[in-house]
Amino acid sequence: MGELLLDIKNLGVDFKTTDGVFHAVKNVSFSIERGQTVALVGESGSGKSVTALSILQLLPYPLASHPAGSSITFEREELIGKNDAFMRKIRGAQASMIFQEPMTALNPLHTIEKQIGEILKLHQRLNEQNVRKRVLELLDLVQLPRLKERLSAYPYELSGGQRQRVMIAMALANNPELLIADEPTTALDVTVQAEILELLQKLQKELSMAMLMITHDLSIVEKFANHVCVMKNGEIVEQGPAASLFAAPQHDYSKMLLQAQPRGTAKPAQQNAATVIEGKNLRVYFPRKKNFFGKATEFVKAVDGLDVTVKAGHTLGIVGESGSGKSTLGFALLRLVRSEGAIHFNGTDISVFSRNQMTPLREDMQIVFQDPFGSLSPRMTISEIIGEGLQVHRKNLTAAQREELVVKALNDVHLNADTRHRYPHEFSGGQRQRIAIARAMVLEPKFVVLDEPTSALDVSVQSQIVDLLRELQEKHNLAYLFISHDLRVVRAMAHDLIVMKDGKVVESGPADKIFAAPKETYTKILLDAALNLKTRKAA
């Protein structure tokens, strides 16, 4: 037994709502020793983040409250009920937090130097010279040496991985004894995920730091955690050493989570199926620099000479890191961005079509976006959202006929049609993604671009969405272009695969052959980062 750092006993969290009191967390108990990593796992809404925010007393008090008997002791000091003045000495100094989305957690109006430096000024009262010195040390610590020349950069000028490392630098600025990492890798590429996690593990050892990791990715937990707490509906249903829990989970919910990750490979498809869409020597260049006369002199080659073929009933997976050109390729095939090269849809060259000529084809070419909440209008009901395309492309339908098709589309994605008069905010993330899929499918398209459709979802919901997409493909003989950085999901969906880097094809061919024996070094790195996390156990 190591030295106890954090001890949580019988923690409860209640929220006052218009419908009464909501019990978000109920009787949660666990502890963390110095240098230990404890993982809180469970689906969205299970109470993980609320539990973590309680430690730093960051909940919206007095709307939030802790019932009698709740206790959180940090270094034997009770934190519940402490005033802000006391908690400010703890937050950022002795206990820090990495928030889930670095783009929203970082201030868009302040430079990187100012944001990292602020925490040093508050807690250590350092002067400007020493603040800059420590900021430079921290950038080295989180392996961002190139940013030393760009201290005046703003968050939007950095990649997702760089922003996450800046968040880690801020959290580590005062050498905390406890680091709370809330979904630290959710929005990152697989290679960046591996780098961030290995960095956290390295820093933890160097600084003898305890870590509370909140995640729904069990492959990460199995690699990094010493102890695991499984949460469901605000309660811990099972906890124990990571090795024991993964080897022999006791609770049905734990077993479900372990089995829920997308598994297997795509069902065989007809090799002689008709080609639905084909791109030849596709190029999408964006101007980077212009001369005095406004003529572009340098370009970002987002897509640089790609050949793409998608057949009916087939899924073509497109994988690669952020900035590789995956989404731009999908937009180009749909003629949503200007491109060069030939695009044939059902045998017709559409690369020369005007916007008006493309309009009748839109019902046969649909897209499901990455963020279902951002892509659904908050001012429209579900019925209006799904039915909007019908109003544009099926003007001869009556209101009753349109409503009938909306109901059918909701049934197809296994949603209760009685909920169609509600608004997007009244649904979970998985339900919103089903609504986005229903909106695309209601027009009975031939070709669907799926742009990271599972990246923001819990593993159990990911598995459900993959099963749903397979079912719809089989039922309607759909051609899919599946864009993702999650190779476990791609392996479960794709018949063929294109690996992209810097706008070019690194490797392409049948998905099963590439996953079994990748030829290119870059492909091997991607596959190792995504699929071999489980082989690297926590120390």
Side-chain angles (χ1 to χ4, degrees):
M1 287 287 289
E3 184 185 350
L4 189 65
L5 179 67
L6 179 75
D7 192 24
I8 296 178
K9 289 182 179 176
N10 303 317
L11 176 66
V13 180
D14 296 338
F15 288 98
K16 294 177 186 175
T17 72
T18 53
D19 298 322
V21 176
F22 173 63
H23 305 291
V25 173
K26 294 161 274 189
N27 296 317
V28 162
S29 298
F30 65 91
S31 57
I32 306 178
E33 298 169 5
R34 291 187 187 277
Q36 185 186 33
T37 297
V38 172
L40 276 182
V41 303
E43 297 173 287
S44 296
S46 61
K48 307 185 301 293
S49 294
V50 172
T51 299
L53 291 168
S54 299
I55 296 169
L56 297 179
Q57 296 287 281
L58 288 173
L59 294 174
Y61 304 104
L63 287 176
S65 63
H66 302 291
S70 298
S71 173
I72 301 173
T73 58
F74 180 74
E75 291 194 317
R76 301 181 182 179
E77 183 81 45
E78 179 63 54
L79 299 184
I80 289 180
K82 285 290 193 291
N83 59 34
D84 276 344
F86 179 87
M87 288 308 302
R88 278 196 292 269
K89 295 175 183 177
I90 302 289
R91 298 175 192 140
Q94 294 171 272
S96 287
M97 189 163 183
I98 302 170
F99 294 96
Q100 183 170 355
E101 177 45 68
M103 190 59 184
T104 53
L106 293 173
N107 191 322
L109 301 178
H110 291 169
T111 65
I112 300 310
E113 180 178 18
K114 184 170 183 179
Q115 296 194 59
I116 300 174
E118 184 178 27
I119 197 168
L120 296 165
K121 291 177 182 177
L122 283 171
H123 290 285
Q124 297 188 37
R125 308 293 182 187
L126 299 181
N127 60 32
E128 291 292 339
Q129 184 179 351
N130 287 328
V131 164
R132 172 161 286 205
K133 181 182 176 183
R134 178 59 177 158
V135 168
L136 294 174
E137 287 174 359
L138 288 165
L139 291 178
D140 277 334
L141 191 67
V142 298
Q143 298 170 15
L144 281 177
R146 291 184 180 179
L147 269 193
K148 288 179 175 182
E149 309 300 321
R150 298 179 59 204
L151 292 178
S152 60
Y154 291 87
Y156 71 87
E157 298 179 282
L158 308 180
S159 70
Q162 288 175 323
R163 288 194 291 265
Q164 193 65 284
R165 288 170 189 263
V166 168
M167 283 286 299
I168 294 170
M170 291 172 65
L172 299 178
N174 294 302
N175 298 325
E177 295 159 83
L178 172 67
L179 179 67
I180 302 169
D182 189 1
E183 299 280 10
T185 63
T186 299
L188 303 179
D189 296 320
V190 286
T191 49
V192 180
Q193 280 185 16
E195 290 171 5
I196 293 295
L197 290 168
E198 284 167 10
L199 171 65
L200 285 174
Q201 194 174 43
K202 173 175 171 282
L203 294 173
Q204 182 182 22
K205 288 178 180 177
E206 288 177 2
L207 303 172
S208 299
M209 182 175 62
M211 194 182 325
L212 177 63
M213 183 172 283
I214 300 162
T215 183
H216 63 251
D217 190 333
L218 296 181
S219 59
I220 291 173
V221 174
E222 189 174 9
K223 178 188 172 185
F224 287 100
N226 306 113
H227 190 88
V228 182
C229 301
V230 181
M231 289 193 73
K232 181 187 180 187
N233 298 331
E235 298 180 277
I236 292 180
V237 295
E238 182 173 0
Q239 65 173 298
S244 303
L245 193 142
F246 277 91
Q250 301 300 307
H251 196 277
D252 288 343
Y253 182 70
S254 304
K255 294 174 184 176
M256 184 279 290
L257 284 180
L258 289 173
Q259 295 168 0
Q261 300 180 65
R263 298 176 186 273
T265 56
K267 293 180 180 179
Q270 291 184 358
Q271 293 305 307
N272 59 352
T275 296
V276 175
I277 194 162
E278 186 177 27
K280 289 288 186 183
N281 195 26
L282 277 179
R283 300 180 303 281
V284 180
Y285 294 175
F286 296 114
R288 181 161 56 186
K289 282 188 179 180
K290 295 181 180 181
N291 62 19
F292 178 78
F293 301 102
K295 185 177 179 180
T297 56
E298 288 186 23
F299 296 90
V300 174
K301 297 180 178 181
V303 176
D304 195 12
L306 264 70
D307 294 338
V308 180
T309 301
V310 192
K311 296 179 180 180
H314 285 238
T315 298
L316 173 62
I318 309 292
V319 301
E321 297 173 290
S322 293
S324 60
K326 305 186 301 293
S327 295
T328 304
L329 172 63
F331 296 157
L333 288 172
L334 293 173
R335 297 292 319 282
L336 295 175
V337 296
R338 184 174 295 177
S339 64
E340 295 179 21
I343 302 172
H344 288 88
F345 181 71
N346 284 337
T348 302
D349 186 357
I350 63 171
S351 60
V352 294
F353 276 25
S354 66
R355 183 174 179 178
N356 287 338
Q357 287 175 303
M358 282 300 301
T359 300
L361 296 177
R362 292 294 177 204
E363 62 179 314
D364 290 330
M365 308 168 73
Q366 288 291 305
I367 185 168
V368 177
F369 293 99
Q370 178 175 357
D371 177 9
F373 193 64
S375 67
L376 301 177
S377 172
R379 298 177 181 273
M380 296 170 69
T381 65
I382 301 312
S383 180
E384 290 169 339
I385 288 169
I386 297 173
E388 188 176 23
L390 294 171
Q391 287 184 307
V392 174
H393 295 286
R394 310 271 178 89
K395 294 180 179 177
N396 59 324
L397 294 177
T398 64
Q401 289 171 323
R402 193 163 57 245
E403 194 77 354
E404 187 179 337
L405 289 174
V406 168
V407 169
K408 180 180 178 296
L410 285 169
N411 288 333
D412 279 350
V413 298
H414 308 306
L415 281 178
N416 187 341
D418 292 340
T419 63
R420 65 188 183 277
H421 302 300
R422 297 181 184 174
Y423 291 85
H425 72 270
E426 299 179 76
F427 295 85
S428 69
Q431 289 173 322
R432 287 196 289 264
Q433 195 61 288
R434 288 174 185 268
I435 292 163
I437 293 169
R439 174 175 61 183
M441 298 302 175
V442 73
L443 291 166
E444 300 176 329
K446 307 289 189 302
F447 172 60
V448 182
V449 172
L450 300 157
D451 191 3
E452 301 273 14
T454 63
S455 65
L457 305 177
D458 293 322
V459 283
S460 58
V461 182
Q462 282 184 8
S463 187
Q464 292 167 16
I465 295 296
V466 166
D467 289 342
L468 172 64
L469 290 170
R470 283 171 170 166
E471 178 189 321
L472 292 170
Q473 183 175 47
E474 197 171 348
K475 183 177 180 180
H476 302 292
N477 202 31
L478 293 165
Y480 285 155
L481 186 79
F482 193 95
I483 298 165
S484 183
H485 67 251
D486 190 334
L487 298 191
R488 288 167 297 186
V489 176
V490 174
R491 183 166 61 177
M493 284 289 300
H495 299 96
D496 299 291
L497 193 65
I498 289 178
V499 181
M500 290 185 68
K501 186 176 191 293
D502 299 329
K504 291 183 178 292
V505 174
V506 174
E507 190 167 352
S508 65
D512 55 351
K513 290 184 179 179
I514 293 177
F515 278 107
K519 295 177 181 178
E520 301 298 325
T521 302
Y522 179 71
T523 309
K524 291 175 183 176
I525 292 170
L526 281 181
L527 293 179
D528 181 64
L531 305 176
N532 292 335
L533 278 171
K534 291 185 178 181
T535 66
R536 300 187 291 240
K537 294 280 187 180

